Amino acid sequence: DAGITQSPRHKVTETGTPVTLRCHQTENHRYMYWYRQDPGHGLRLIHYSYGVKDTDKGEVSDGYSVSRSKTEDFLLTLESATSSQTSVYFCAISKTGFNEKLFFGSGTQLSVL
Amino acid sequence: TQLLEQSPQFLSIQEGENLTVYCNSSSVFSSLQWYRQEPGEGPVLLVTVVTGGEVKKLKRLTFQFGDARKDSSLHITAAQPGDTGLYLCAGTNNNAGNMLTFGGGTRLMVKP
């Protein structure tokens, strides 16, 4: 299994609070991604990174920011959480190319009350 | 936006039966990936198909990419309870920055 760790695995927070999710990889892969998975919408890309300090927006980036200060860590921040951001968040990595052969973490279940 | 539609959305079968799930689009894709996701876990890549008409086999699973590269199918022979999960297809398009589009998935339950 690819070495990807997401933390926390579960989080409950209140509307308006900031939340940061962490993705840590031990594979030294170049590309990292944050997805959210919701019933009826499948997996949707939030942000992605193609190197240290190199990030770009995905399909559903509003309300989210990311940072990648080291190859191994990709942080997803909800500046002011809303109930619509209740979801399961997955981090993924790929080595061979952008959007090729993604390896996913186990996910973070986030509930915003 | 390129859309991928998967059918059926849900499928419940008995152990030993055969099944086929479909992934369809009106758009052409450069490649098509299939993933399986188990409850509480992230998706796991099963296969990537890149050539129109390509067929790949993974034990009891057979994947086919349509000749026009707009659709794909996954056929499972003699399904087992261990095949239970959410099957996701995802397509890339080199002409659209190689962005990856996921379908909504087919949730398969194989009963013993």
Side-chain angles (χ1 to χ4, degrees), chain A residues 7-8 11 18-22 75-78:
Chain A
S7 58
K11 186 170 182 66
V19 177
T20 295
L21 308 182
R22 180 181 184 233
L75 304 180
L76 176 70
T77 297
L78 290 66

Side-chain angles (χ1 to χ4, degrees), chain A residues 23-61:
Chain A
C23 178
H24 178 78
Q25 61 148 328
T26 58
E27 305 296 321
N28 201 35
H29 284 6
R30 175 183 178 187
Y31 301 97
M32 299 185 75
Y33 315 79
W34 277 107
Y35 282 88
R36 59 178 290 174
Q37 186 174 36
D38 305 286
H41 291 279
L43 280 159
R44 292 180 292 174
L45 182 65
I46 305 171
H47 280 281
Y48 61 95
S49 170
Y50 43 95
V52 173
K53 298 186 180 180
D54 290 326
T55 65
D56 208 343
K57 297 179 180 180
E59 178 188 357
V60 289
S61 60

Side-chain angles (χ1 to χ4, degrees), chain A residues 61-93:
Chain A
S61 60
D62 288 349
Y64 302 95
S65 63
V66 290
S67 67
R68 192 170 178 197
S69 59
K70 297 183 291 184
T71 298
E72 57 265 37
D73 290 327
F74 194 30
L75 304 180
L76 176 70
T77 297
L78 290 66
E79 302 291 346
S80 178
T82 67
S83 59
S84 65
Q85 293 175 312
T86 292
S87 186
V88 182
Y89 291 86
F90 287 99
C91 174
I93 62 176

